[in-house]
Amino acid sequence: MRLSRYFLPILRETPKEADIVSHRLMLRAGLIRQESAGIYAWLPFGLRVLNKINAIVREEQNRSGAIELLMPTIQSADLWRESGRFDAYGKEMLRIKDRHERDMLFGPTNEEMITEIFRATVKSYKDLPLNLYHIQWKFRDEVRPRFGVMRSREFLMKDAYSFDLDQAGARHSYNRMFAAYLRTFARLGLTAIPMQADTGPIGGDLSHEFIILASTGESEVFADKAVLDQPTPSVDTDFDSAEALDAIFQNWTTPYAATSEKHDEAAFAAVPEERRISARGIEVGHIFYFGTKYSDAMGATVTGPDGQERPVHMGSYGIGPSRLVAALIEASHDENGIIWPDSVAPFNVGILNLKVGASETDSTCETLYRALSARGLDVLYDDRDERPGTKFATADLIGLPWQILVGPKGLAEGKVELKRRATGERELLTVDDVLAKLAV
């Protein structure tokens, strides 16, 4: 993509309404634009990051055995009355009426709808276990939306829902998602700590939040540093093995880790002082097991091996891709701008033409642009007629992981400069050496 033809509305000044780093940088770097309180348009640059996060989330959900579908955003209030949550959910739910005066709502979550889909289509234990997920926009009418997309009213959510014959099967499904979440966040370049958490309006009696440590986090969290030493489940993790998944769960949850709602002062005091972590954290995922809460209320049953009808055991599992964009920035930035992990960077490489119009710099940039694009890399070519300093500042602000600086001085020696955004390391290389180093 040539920057001269791209839509990247960068702001020179920091917006006054932005209180935290991620909000400031997302606005300044042209990822989002606020359209009303807690509601944002995702501009092309931000959408590229969001799509890359979605791709990783989707790959790990599929790897764990979950199956993708897509449910509507507008739901019937009747389903929520069946579960008893229509009135109980509170003002966060956006309630509306259609032209026939029927009560509808903009879905804040999908437990009721997925239960309705299940009960209408699955009748036998032979069709279990089942885990269905989708990636869909949600709406919760926060009383005070703030911090940009970190706490917005409209947000993108991956929510999955598991169905099992009994508690043992449901626990295996829970552990599947537990391992899948650990893999997902590791691939995003994040160290996410699973912590005992309150279930909130979702309900249930087993719940973990996945928390990344950050000074701007909303939650106060407490943990044993030993949890940071646990290995990420490998790519060949056997998601069908209850024993293997339970071992992963036990290894990660044995060291103390809890949010403030579940904090146990006595248990935390038993952790050696040098290993205690007391910090702020950002929630990036939340998983729940809630037994037969919804299946009892809504009649979601299957015929068991004994021929008897029984309610299914359920769980739900959420990741917020739009929130993750902000969390990634909170976890990885410096005074110059964003530092993207390679896995989700909107562009892998930036080419900076330091003297547009000079035949040799133009020709070299074109060669690099075509060769790197042909190798499958996402390349942003800064071909604008701007000063080098402006181009350097833009590349660092938007967080291009690799930056190739092409100028007359280097080319006089047959070389270009390659910069690594994360470390600031620079080296002079030939064009062939750059292509070899950045080969996919």
Side-chain angles (χ1 to χ4, degrees):
M1 179 62 63
R2 298 173 191 273
L3 188 50
S4 63
R5 303 177 189 173
Y6 195 55
F7 181 60
L8 185 61
I10 288 175
L11 303 180
R12 294 185 182 275
E13 302 295 329
T14 299
K16 294 180 180 179
E17 71 273 17
D19 295 324
I20 62 172
V21 169
S22 59
H23 193 193
R24 291 196 293 269
L25 289 176
M26 290 182 76
L27 290 170
R28 285 197 58 217
L31 277 73
I32 57 173
R33 178 176 173 79
Q34 182 171 320
E35 298 302 323
S36 61
I39 298 177
Y40 293 85
W42 285 81
L43 305 181
F45 203 72
L47 185 59
R48 291 180 74 93
V49 180
L50 197 57
N51 286 340
K52 290 191 175 185
I53 290 174
N54 288 341
I56 291 173
V57 169
R58 184 174 279 116
E59 286 173 13
E60 294 304 328
Q61 289 293 287
N62 294 346
R63 189 193 310 277
S64 75
I67 302 166
E68 187 173 10
L69 78 169
L70 182 61
M71 290 176 273
T73 57
I74 303 299
Q75 302 182 32
S76 168
D78 291 342
L79 288 175
W80 287 68
R81 290 191 174 106
E82 283 190 56
S83 70
R85 287 208 299 172
F86 184 67
D87 294 318
Y89 200 89
K91 291 185 177 181
E92 286 74 24
M93 181 189 291
L94 181 61
R95 295 165 171 84
I96 55 180
K97 289 183 181 290
D98 67 12
R99 67 192 301 163
H100 301 291
E101 294 299 309
R102 289 177 295 219
D103 289 326
M104 311 290 284
L105 58 102
F106 194 128
T109 184
N110 279 75
E111 281 81 7
E112 283 79 3
M113 184 167 285
I114 198 68
T115 303
E116 188 280 326
I117 291 172
F118 178 89
R119 74 183 181 190
T121 55
V122 179
K123 304 299 181 184
S124 171
Y125 76 96
K126 295 179 181 180
D127 295 319
L128 302 180
L130 182 64
N131 190 316
L132 301 172
Y133 80 95
H134 68 164
I135 300 175
Q136 178 217 51
W137 291 97
K138 301 283 197 292
F139 188 91
R140 295 177 188 170
D141 200 2
E142 295 279 354
V143 63
R144 192 164 67 92
R146 60 194 186 280
F147 305 148
V149 300
M150 191 72 76
R151 182 171 287 280
S152 56
R153 293 196 294 165
E154 185 180 60
F155 56 94
L156 191 62
M157 176 67 73
K158 185 287 304 180
D159 40 326
Y161 303 90
S162 62
F163 301 86
D164 287 274
L165 183 64
D166 52 29
Q167 187 174 12
R171 185 54 190 260
H172 184 197
S173 292
Y174 188 92
N175 288 349
R176 282 176 188 255
M177 286 292 102
F178 188 92
Y181 275 37
L182 292 172
R183 283 195 46 77
T184 299
F185 297 126
R187 287 186 60 189
L188 293 172
L190 295 171
T191 300
I193 304 172
M195 298 190 174
Q196 296 178 37
D198 187 59
T199 57
I202 301 294
D205 54 12
L206 178 62
S207 174
H208 285 84
E209 287 182 8
F210 289 78
I211 301 286
I212 64 168
L213 303 181
S215 60
T216 53
E218 298 173 289
S219 305
E220 187 177 8
V221 297
F222 306 87
D224 181 341
K225 285 183 180 178
V227 74
L228 300 176
D229 298 328
Q230 300 305 314
T232 301
S234 66
V235 68
D236 59 354
T237 295
D238 184 357
F239 283 92
D240 291 324
S241 170
E243 182 178 1
L245 294 183
D246 187 62
I248 291 170
F249 179 85
Q250 295 300 331
N251 288 340
W252 276 87
T253 58
T254 296
Y256 184 86
T259 59
S260 56
E261 293 90 344
K262 290 288 187 177
H263 182 47
D264 183 334
E265 284 285 359
F268 188 57
V271 176
E273 187 173 358
E274 67 275 10
R275 296 210 318 252
R276 294 178 203 160
I277 299 173
S278 177
R280 308 296 297 180
I282 299 171
E283 177 193 346
V284 290
H286 205 159
I287 60 177
F288 306 84
Y289 163 65
F290 39 69
T292 60
K293 173 180 177 176
Y294 294 94
S295 51
D296 280 336
M298 300 181 67
T301 63
V302 294
T303 303
D306 56 2
Q308 300 297 311
E309 291 286 319
R310 62 184 72 180
V312 291
H313 288 247
M314 294 175 58
S316 71
Y317 316 91
I319 288 177
S322 55
R323 182 182 178 89
L324 270 169
V325 178
L328 283 163
I329 295 171
E330 291 291 334
S332 185
H333 66 273
D334 62 17
E335 66 276 8
N336 296 318
I338 303 167
I339 303 175
W340 293 114
D342 289 336
S343 59
V344 298
F347 292 94
N348 309 112
V349 184
I351 300 173
L352 282 60
N353 188 337
L354 304 185
K355 193 169 184 180
V356 173
S359 60
E360 193 171 6
T361 55
D362 288 354
S363 174
T364 302
C365 287
E366 288 291 340
T367 297
L368 285 163
Y369 180 55
R370 291 171 183 167
L372 292 169
S373 298
R375 297 181 186 199
L377 292 169
D378 292 325
V379 184
L380 184 65
Y381 172 23
D382 192 343
D383 59 341
R384 300 172 300 162
D385 187 12
E386 296 279 0
R387 298 177 187 176
T390 299
K391 297 189 177 189
F392 299 152
T394 296
D396 281 352
L397 172 64
I398 64 179
L400 299 174
W402 292 100
Q403 301 169 20
I404 307 172
L405 285 53
V406 182
K409 185 177 179 180
L411 288 178
E413 301 176 9
K415 295 183 178 180
V416 297
E417 188 172 18
L418 181 64
K419 174 185 172 181
R420 182 63 165 156
R421 172 70 176 94
T423 63
E425 180 184 359
R426 299 167 179 257
E427 53 185 330
L428 288 172
L429 300 170
T430 66
V431 168
D432 287 342
D433 286 342
V434 167
L435 294 175
K437 187 159 188 171
L438 299 182
V440 176

